Amino acid sequence: MVKVLRTGVYICEAGTGAAGSVDLRMLAEYARELPSVVKVVECECPNPDPVSVGEQIRKDNFDRVVIAADSPGYFKPAFARAMSLAGKSPENVVLASFVGNGAGASGSTERAKAVICCAVSGVPFGLAASQRKKSVHPDTLVIGGGVGGIQAALEIAGAGKKVYMVEKLGTIGGKMAMFDKTFPTLDCSACILTPKMVSVGQNKNITLWTYAEVEGVSGSAGNYTVTVRKRARRVDEAACVSCNACSKTCPGEAPSEFDAGICMRKAIYIPFPQAVPNSFLIDEKACLWVTSGGQKCGTCVKKCAKEAIHLNARDEIVEITVGNIIVATGFQVFDAVKMERYGYGRLPNVITALEYERLTNASGPTGGNIVMKSLKYNKRKKVDEWVFGPDNPKPKNVAIIHCIGSRDHNHNRYCSRVCCMYSLKFAHLVREKLPDANCYEFYIDMRAYGKNYEEFLERVHEEGVHLVRGRTAKVEEADGQMRLKGEDIIGGKVLDFPVDLVILSVGLEPVPESEQLASLLGIARDEDGWYAEKDYNADPTGTERGGIYLAGVCQGPKDIPDTVAQASEVAARVIRSILSDQMQDSRNTLSLADIEDGLRRQE
């Protein structure tokens, strides 16, 4: 005869993040009715006392304890200790994770009930929540044209399968195209990326739509209908030869996105010389002809010998059917203006990481020279402006400040993972290009966690970079000179010294469109706004919706190698589903009754 284990269910609310989105009262009522459950305890303390919990376990004679929480592993050590103190086996502490099984992110009380039901029954949730198989349309959509999207698209197309790539900007390449060097090898970023970009543009199995956005998604796993808006470039990609005759005469200007806004571009422009597609497009917000309703300008049309410019062009709506969708929308950087004490936006020579990337890049506005901003007279605007120029003065003291917007409860609590390493790369470039300059790097903890990363840290230290552990208090200006005030916790002193250039190592954030796209796709986001994976350990690239996958930083901060590896893994899953003509249906459509039926089938 099988012994029935007397089970106590502890529903932990405090300290777990998203548990507040689940109705804990309804959850407790449901758990009390489950077989073998003798008591349900609603635990509000973020740090349960093992002694008092152990006394309760002994009093109620629990053979097994189920911890139900957003992240129950947080509480497991305390409960395992309590079980030992009560004379019970710590192995009988079972975790019922809301986040790990799709309840914490989506706020589904029904899903949370199902998770507890599985834990009490001793059946893994994934086993009980098995979905039926669906046939698969052979075409694939990749949303986002950064290095992750490019890698996935090339691998799927290389298997002879059709791929649609949708990119919201005028070129593919993403943030990696803006970088000067990659860490820890210091390889040229463009040398790695641009051949892949060209391959995308030339691959007959890839249909590339830049300056486009997904507007609608319907259907189910294996057979999605997607509506895409192709915004009017107003320049014919096939006819344009990128001769630059149009741009030379264009009077409209706007900050260059590719150069992180540190210089201007024309209203008719090519994002950068190696852009794919390699043709110009028109920024309708900066174009005088568009903003005036066709009453002004139009000089670009007269200068185009190929008749490639069509100012009256309109957006085009297309509809495609795909079996799989890969989300590779990347990230944005933290807005450093939010941290006023560092003076970004107020002090001209306080810049962000992406701005520094373009400053040190040979294709940037200074030809790769590390210089300070200087006041220059703008004849068109008739005002003095702070601008970078190749002949501007070079800084003698450079400070790099870590964790801007990361590991900060006022902004983003998480670590952005890449900032320590790219900051070390910045310091190396300062020492390489300005050997007489002093370079100070202020960090909280140095997280050099990847292959050859620790060795790179040691190299930078040997190059004479001053590594200072401690938080920087603020950057201020006095008598025309910036001063940095901070702490050196290892040296045990407060610092206050002059600096000429301050680089803010800003963290990574989800792109602004992530909420809207998540709603269109029917996938969840976590509490920080990143797209939520199906299972962090067992399925970090899948989602609750069948046939929709995550690749790269849209799922959470990561570096280029991790992004490429994840994209390749997703591509392999897509190819497998197409070749076998089957995939699992969406898990987010499963009801509590479906899970309970699945449990009965396991008995």
Side-chain angles (χ1 to χ4, degrees):
M1 182 176 179
V2 178
K3 178 185 177 182
V4 176
L5 297 178
R6 290 174 58 84
T7 303
V9 176
Y10 286 80
I11 300 177
C12 299
E13 176 181 4
T16 60
S21 61
V22 175
D23 190 326
L24 300 181
R25 181 186 58 80
M26 291 183 62
L27 208 57
E29 291 177 358
Y30 174 79
R32 290 187 182 98
E33 302 301 319
L34 293 174
S36 80
V37 174
V38 296
K39 191 170 187 178
V40 175
V41 180
E42 296 183 50
C43 181
E44 298 180 357
C45 178
N47 298 298
D49 176 34
V51 175
S52 59
V53 174
E55 291 175 355
Q56 186 176 53
I57 291 173
R58 187 184 300 108
K59 176 183 176 183
D60 293 309
N61 195 26
F62 294 153
D63 299 310
R64 177 177 57 176
V65 166
V66 172
I67 311 172
D70 184 25
S71 299
Y74 177 85
F75 303 100
K76 185 175 181 179
F79 281 89
R81 174 66 176 155
M83 288 285 279
S84 294
L85 293 174
K88 306 290 184 177
S89 173
E91 294 181 358
N92 287 336
V93 176
V94 181
L95 305 183
S97 172
F98 299 157
V99 163
N101 295 298
S106 63
S108 169
T109 300
E110 292 299 293
R111 173 61 62 84
K113 289 179 181 178
V115 171
I116 290 181
C117 184
C118 290
V120 170
S121 300
V123 177
F125 178 81
L127 191 61
S130 58
Q131 304 94 46
R132 67 181 186 274
K133 303 292 184 179
K134 300 287 293 291
S135 61
V136 183
H137 191 284
D139 296 351
T140 301
L141 170 65
V142 176
I143 306 175
V147 65
I150 288 172
Q151 182 73 19
L154 286 175
E155 297 207 16
I156 297 169
K161 305 304 176 183
K162 177 69 177 177
V163 178
Y164 296 94
M165 176 177 279
V166 175
E167 166 58 48
K168 68 177 181 179
L169 299 179
T171 178
I172 59 174
K175 295 290 193 303
M176 184 177 173
M178 303 169 67
F179 301 162
D180 180 35
K181 299 287 193 297
T182 61
F183 59 77
T185 59
L186 297 175
D187 289 329
C188 167
S189 180
C191 300
I192 299 169
L193 183 65
T194 50
K196 292 179 179 285
M197 294 168 58
V198 172
S199 295
V200 169
Q202 295 179 345
N203 196 303
K204 64 180 181 180
N205 289 327
I206 299 177
T207 296
L208 174 61
W209 291 326
T210 56
Y211 215 48
E213 295 179 89
V214 172
E215 287 206 334
V217 179
S218 60
S220 59
N223 188 34
Y224 290 108
T225 299
V226 182
T227 302
V228 178
R229 177 180 292 273
K230 297 169 61 180
R231 294 162 56 200
R233 294 176 67 101
R234 302 178 194 265
V235 179
D236 188 332
E237 293 178 31
C240 178
V241 294
S242 304
C243 65
N244 202 35
C246 55
S247 185
K248 287 180 180 178
T249 60
C250 177
E253 284 188 336
S256 169
E257 298 89 348
F258 182 72
D259 287 307
I262 65 175
C263 64
M264 305 296 286
R265 59 153 172 84
K266 295 298 183 74
I268 185 167
Y269 69 105
I270 188 169
F272 62 102
Q274 295 79 31
V276 175
N278 198 246
S279 71
F280 279 67
L281 70 155
I282 291 177
D283 179 354
E284 59 186 24
K285 294 180 180 179
C287 175
L288 297 180
W289 190 92
V290 176
T291 56
S292 69
Q295 300 300 310
K296 296 180 181 179
C297 201
T299 57
C300 57
V301 177
K302 301 172 186 177
K303 293 293 182 179
C304 184
K306 297 294 183 178
E307 299 182 351
I309 301 174
H310 308 289
L311 295 175
N312 287 313
R314 294 291 180 265
D315 294 356
E316 180 184 355
I317 304 295
V318 295
E319 194 171 88
I320 57 174
T321 301
V322 296
N324 291 280
I325 299 175
I326 299 174
V327 184
T329 49
F331 66 96
Q332 68 174 6
V333 294
F334 174 77
D335 182 5
V337 172
K338 296 177 181 178
M339 300 190 74
E340 296 181 3
R341 65 180 182 273
Y342 297 127
Y344 180 75
R346 175 172 50 85
L347 302 176
N349 284 303
V350 177
I351 64 174
T352 64
L354 277 182
E355 292 170 347
Y356 182 78
E357 289 280 5
R358 298 309 304 154
L359 189 65
T360 59
N361 197 302
S363 67
T366 67
N369 293 319
I370 301 176
V371 297
M372 299 183 292
K373 285 183 181 179
S374 296
L375 275 175
K376 297 287 178 66
Y377 183 70
N378 187 317
K379 294 181 180 179
R380 188 176 64 84
K381 295 182 180 179
K382 298 181 179 180
V383 294
D384 288 329
E385 292 182 330
W386 288 97
V387 297
F388 285 112
D391 300 323
N392 286 11
K394 297 179 180 180
K396 296 180 180 179
N397 294 291
V398 179
I400 303 169
I401 306 175
H402 289 218
C403 295
I404 305 300
S406 300
R407 302 180 65 190
D408 187 332
H409 283 267
N410 295 316
H411 301 289
N412 299 316
R413 296 179 299 171
Y414 55 83
C415 170
S416 291
R417 294 186 63 189
V418 298
C419 311
C420 285
M421 287 304 299
Y422 78 59
S423 298
L424 291 171
K425 177 188 72 174
F426 290 170
H428 165 79
L429 294 174
V430 170
R431 297 298 298 150
E432 179 182 73
K433 297 187 176 186
L434 301 173
D436 295 329
N438 294 312
C439 184
Y440 301 87
E441 189 144 338
F442 290 85
Y443 67 97
I444 303 173
D445 298 302
M446 192 62 72
R447 299 188 169 183
Y449 62 88
K451 183 178 181 180
N452 295 325
Y453 287 10
E454 183 67 24
E455 291 82 353
F456 189 81
L457 166 61
E458 293 174 0
R459 173 183 175 178
V460 169
H461 190 267
E462 291 170 359
E463 289 173 343
V465 175
H466 302 286
L467 300 174
V468 183
R469 186 174 186 181
R471 287 188 179 273
T472 303
K474 60 181 176 180
V475 178
E476 56 187 17
E477 187 177 34
D479 300 323
Q481 174 68 60
M482 288 195 301
R483 298 194 68 86
L484 184 146
K485 297 184 178 182
E487 61 178 353
D488 177 358
I489 62 175
I490 294 178
K493 56 185 177 182
V494 175
L495 301 178
D496 183 349
F497 62 92
V499 289
D500 303 310
L501 182 67
V502 176
I503 305 165
L504 302 180
S505 297
V506 288
L508 313 186
E509 294 183 331
V511 294
E513 302 85 3
S514 62
E515 182 176 5
Q516 179 183 1
L517 185 58
S519 178
L520 289 175
L521 296 172
I523 61 177
R525 299 192 305 156
D526 64 25
E527 59 183 332
D528 295 313
W530 304 105
Y531 294 122
E533 64 284 334
K534 189 174 182 179
D535 186 302
Y536 184 81
N537 294 304
D539 192 355
T541 60
T543 67
E544 286 277 311
R545 199 164 187 194
I548 299 182
Y549 304 97
L550 309 175
V553 187
C554 68
Q555 182 251 345
K558 56 182 63 71
D559 60 13
I560 293 170
D562 284 356
T563 293
V564 171
Q566 195 175 50
S568 294
E569 193 268 344
V570 169
R573 296 183 66 175
V574 168
I575 294 169
R576 181 180 63 187
S577 73
I578 296 171
L579 294 179
S580 64
D581 192 29
Q582 65 176 13
M583 68 166 54
Q584 287 190 330
D585 199 356
S586 300
R587 197 169 77 173
N588 60 356
T589 59
L590 291 175
S591 66
L592 176 59
D594 292 330
I595 304 297
E596 291 173 333
D597 288 341
L599 288 172
R600 282 190 285 271
R601 290 195 298 271
Q602 300 296 325
E603 294 177 352

